[in-house]
């Protein structure tokens, strides 16, 4: 339901003061605000009504009020202004991510590192997976005379790399044969559709150098299979452990974040919304009843590829964190799209 303008003003003032101080907010403070032109008695009545409606809580009988989950939700949906990341945050984000080398997981890991650093919260992400994506290309990067990095890219923006060790020296004819065999047998194939029959078909076309090149083909095959599954990345566990609000549930939250399946479930998000947010009791996991989970889908092209976000206490600076999560999700999608095209 819509609140009156005065109730909205009081609710906003309580939330913004509480986010700053962490202390219950009383009518005396609100009456001293320059944009409040009503008496303390009227403010007390409005705060009592907001409490009865479920937007504010009163920890103790004689104390001021604090926001409830419902109050935060109304504030975020109706009253929160749209801010943009600061120039300093943008520079810090862009200068902290190196995607010149490495695979998708390492890039998402870097992105989570910087997301945790700029927000002061725990960052969580689910990497892209390509059940419906096809293999778009490969790279072979010699590391020594008898070892090389095999890199596989898919149309879903997934890049996986593995190290292959050979029993012979890597020369140009061997590299050319590798590219020809992978292009003929794997490029354009869904990574989730790879099976032993396709590997055997590829092996049959290797010719007299089959023993030399087979380690490269097997490594490519393994990397391509790995590209069809999602990974979970969590950075900044210490922010949960150091949060006063989350202290009671910290151990359970850490355990939840160690399980890839629960992280994947936690990071499911609305692909039609720029940012998704669950506050306190809105979360499915009971250990997050005092937490806020802010997340955004990142896209490769027009397709949703994965999701990233942060976990923090309900007392979070939403006006700063929500734009940061949205911006970093856009950066992630842009980087992965570039990687898929190179």
């Amino acid at each position: 339901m819509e609140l009156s303008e005065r109730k909205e003003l009081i609710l906003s003032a309580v939330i913004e003061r509480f986010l700053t101080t962490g202390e219950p907010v009383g009518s005396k403070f609100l009456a001293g605000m320059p944009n409040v032109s009503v008496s303390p008695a009227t403010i007390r009545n409005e705060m009592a009504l907001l409490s009865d409606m479920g937007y504010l809580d009163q920890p103790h009988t004689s104390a001021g009020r604090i926001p409830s989950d419902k109050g935060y939700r109304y504030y975020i949906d109706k009253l929160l202004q749209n801010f943009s990341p600061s120039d300093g945050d943008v520079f810090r984000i862009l200068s902290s991510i190196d995607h010149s080398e490495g695979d998708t997981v390492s890039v998402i890991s870097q992105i989570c590192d910087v997301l945790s650093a700029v927000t002061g919260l725990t960052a969580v992400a689910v990497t892209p997976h390509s059940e419906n994506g096809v293999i778009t290309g490969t790279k072979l990067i010699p590391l020594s005379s008898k070892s090389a990095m095999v890199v596989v890219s898919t149309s879903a923006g997934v890049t996986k790399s593995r190290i292959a060790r050979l029993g012979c020296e890597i020369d140009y004819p061997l590299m050319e044969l590798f590219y020809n065999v992978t292009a003929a047998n794997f490029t354009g194939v869904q990574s989730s559709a790879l099976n032993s029959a396709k590997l055997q078909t590829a092996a049959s076309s290797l010719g007299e150098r089959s023993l030399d090149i087979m380690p490269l083909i097997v490594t490519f095959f393994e990397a391509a299979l790995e590209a069809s599954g999602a990974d979970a990345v969590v950075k900044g566990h210490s922010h949960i452990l150091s949060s006063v609000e989350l202290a009671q549930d910290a151990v359970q939250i850490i355990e939840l974040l160690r399980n890839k399946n629960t992280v994947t479930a936690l990071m499911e998000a609305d692909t039609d919304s720029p940012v998704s947010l669950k506050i306190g009791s809105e979360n499915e996991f009971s250990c997050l009843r005092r937490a806020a989970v802010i997340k955004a889908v990142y896209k490769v092209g027009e397709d949703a590829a994965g999701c990233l976000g942060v976990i923090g206490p309900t007392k979070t600076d939403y006006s700063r964190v929500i734009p940061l999560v949205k911006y970093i999700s856009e950066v992630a999608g842009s980087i992965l799209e570039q990687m898929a095209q190179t």
Side-chain angles (χ1 to χ4, degrees):
M1 65 175 293
E2 292 287 335
L3 298 177
S4 68
E5 185 176 344
R6 187 161 65 193
K7 285 185 175 65
E8 288 186 345
L9 175 65
I10 291 172
L11 178 62
S12 291
V14 170
I15 290 176
E16 288 164 10
R17 178 67 175 176
F18 180 71
L19 292 178
T20 300
T21 67
E23 299 292 333
V25 182
S27 57
K28 183 177 180 180
F29 168 79
L30 297 177
M33 295 178 61
N35 57 341
V36 175
S37 57
V38 296
S39 67
T42 300
I43 293 173
R44 283 193 294 273
N45 288 336
E46 292 284 24
M47 291 177 75
L49 288 172
L50 286 167
S51 296
D52 292 340
M53 297 166 73
Y55 293 101
L56 296 177
D57 289 331
Q58 190 171 20
H60 307 288
T61 305
S62 60
R65 263 70 171 189
I66 64 174
S68 66
D69 293 348
K70 183 178 179 181
Y72 278 126
R73 172 55 65 188
Y74 189 94
Y75 173 75
I76 291 165
D77 290 347
K78 306 284 188 180
L79 309 177
L80 189 65
Q81 297 182 44
N82 291 320
F83 293 95
S84 298
S86 69
D87 291 342
D89 284 334
V90 169
F91 176 79
R92 186 177 181 185
I93 290 164
L94 296 180
S95 62
S96 299
I97 303 169
D98 177 14
H99 59 91
S100 58
E101 293 184 8
D103 60 14
T104 305
V105 176
S106 67
V107 170
I108 294 297
S109 181
Q110 290 181 58
I111 290 171
C112 281
D113 272 328
V114 70
L115 177 57
S116 178
V118 297
T119 61
L121 303 173
T122 301
V124 184
V126 174
T127 64
H129 58 97
S130 56
E131 293 176 356
N132 299 317
V134 300
I135 297 168
T136 54
T138 185
K139 291 181 182 178
L140 184 62
I141 305 170
L143 302 176
S144 70
S145 62
K146 294 186 178 181
S147 67
M149 178 183 292
V150 177
V151 183
V152 179
S153 301
T154 76
S155 60
V158 181
T159 304
K160 291 289 183 180
S161 61
R162 279 180 167 248
I163 305 299
R165 305 191 186 281
L166 290 76
C168 67
E169 293 194 357
I170 301 172
D171 54 24
Y172 178 79
L174 190 69
M175 294 178 66
E176 184 178 34
L177 178 59
F178 169 80
Y179 282 116
N180 290 339
V181 170
T182 54
N185 293 277
F186 300 118
T187 301
V189 176
Q190 288 187 357
S191 56
S192 59
L194 296 179
N195 52 40
S196 58
K198 292 188 181 296
L199 180 59
Q200 290 172 3
T201 300
S204 66
S205 64
L206 298 180
E208 61 182 17
R209 299 204 66 178
S210 60
L211 292 178
D212 294 339
I213 197 175
M214 199 61 190
L216 293 175
I217 300 301
V218 170
T219 301
F220 175 95
F221 188 79
E222 291 172 346
L225 284 176
E226 191 177 350
S228 64
D231 288 302
V233 178
V234 181
K235 296 290 184 175
H237 294 82
S238 61
H239 295 303
I240 290 173
L241 297 171
S242 62
S243 169
V244 174
E245 271 194 286
L246 301 179
Q248 296 181 41
D249 305 304
V251 174
Q252 292 94 324
I253 296 173
I254 297 297
E255 285 299 317
L256 181 152
L257 296 178
R258 286 177 177 167
N259 186 307
K260 185 171 80 170
N261 292 331
T262 55
V263 171
T264 301
L266 176 67
M267 297 307 290
E268 288 182 356
D270 181 2
T271 57
D272 295 325
S273 176
V275 179
S276 301
L277 172 65
K278 291 193 175 181
I279 305 166
S281 57
E282 296 175 354
N283 287 295
E284 297 89 342
F285 298 97
S286 60
C287 62
L288 297 174
R289 64 189 182 278
R290 297 181 182 87
V293 180
I294 305 167
K295 53 195 174 181
V297 169
Y298 56 89
K299 297 182 177 182
V300 175
E302 298 299 319
D303 299 323
C307 185
L308 58 78
V310 293
I311 298 173
T314 54
K315 188 176 74 66
T316 287
D317 185 356
Y318 298 101
S319 64
R320 180 170 182 268
V321 173
I322 291 174
L324 282 170
V325 170
K326 180 177 181 294
Y327 176 72
I328 290 183
S329 72
E330 294 168 354
V331 170
S334 176
I335 289 174
L336 295 179
E337 186 167 3
Q338 291 176 41
M339 291 174 64
Q341 293 172 352
T342 56

